[in-house]
Amino acid sequence: MRLVHLEVLRYDPEVDAEPRLQAYDVECQEEWVVLDALNAIKDVLDPTLAYRWSCHMAVCGSCGMMVNGEPKLACHAFLRDYPGTIRVEPLANFPIERDLVTVADDFIDKLRSVRPWLVPKVPAPVPDAEYRQTPAQLMKYRQFSMCINCMLCYAACPEVALQPLFLGPAAITLAHRYNLDSRDGGRDARQDVIASHVGVWDCSFVGACSEVCPKAVDPAAALQQVKVASTLDWFADKLLPGGRK
């Protein structure tokens, strides 16, 4: 067992004028993660602490928060990697609802705007038929389909902090995932959104989104590919008879 000192941001909009840090000393096992320590605080020391979590396996993406200033999944941040005081705060660049819980409405609206679902290119040949594709076609977009919507990339992105209307890494990456899908026919509608003035061109390619991604999605690479594809679209519209096909 190890005594871990945590500083956790607390904020109750009905009581507090502004967020504040509260200190806790928690007996923790060496193999625990930050989420385990928060659960121990809630179970033993302070049942009023508010935060989100679900799977405890880095799959659901709900326990994203700032750990010593870095966007992390609390279930994937091992205490052994933090020998000193651990400061836990809600994800940066999001409004705080309460304690470590943030308001994700803006992210959800941006995600919805890029149509992150399959728009069938053609009707299935027969009722209930499968839309088949080859392994090579799958591999074109598979990496970008691993996003779990944890929003860590939004907390790390300097452009999200500077440009509130910027669609952001995850939304553009998921749009690109479907644009690359051989079965999809919704690219033109998505391009109208992701290649707009609040879309991919606001990205300055810092690459912080890819550094913090817990699933190695590499959204920075997706955004660069979208820039190339959008540039080719522009040239096709200007130079080819009839524009893009």
Side-chain angles (χ1 to χ4, degrees), residues 98-171:
R98 179 165 178 167
D99 296 343
L100 302 174
V101 179
T102 56
V103 180
D105 294 0
D106 182 63
F107 169 72
I108 298 300
D109 290 340
K110 290 173 178 176
L111 191 62
R112 187 183 296 115
S113 74
V114 302
R115 304 187 184 192
W117 55 79
L118 191 68
V119 179
K121 185 180 298 184
V122 295
V126 294
D128 301 322
E130 296 180 357
Y131 290 89
R132 296 173 180 265
Q133 59 184 186
T134 67
Q137 289 171 325
L138 169 64
M139 292 309 296
K140 284 185 178 180
Y141 67 83
R142 185 179 184 278
Q143 178 181 5
F144 303 136
S145 70
M146 304 304 290
C147 176
I148 58 174
N149 295 326
C150 64
M151 301 179 286
L152 300 192
C153 57
Y154 282 69
C157 177
E159 293 304 322
V160 170
L162 293 170
Q163 306 286 347
L165 296 180
F166 176 43
L167 288 174

Side-chain angles (χ1 to χ4, degrees), residues 5 37 66 79 97 109 113 156 165 168 178-179 185 212 222-223 235:
H5 183 73
M66 308 297 289
L79 297 179
E97 183 167 333
D109 290 340
S113 74
L165 296 180
Y178 286 98
N179 285 350
V212 302
L223 268 65
F235 277 107

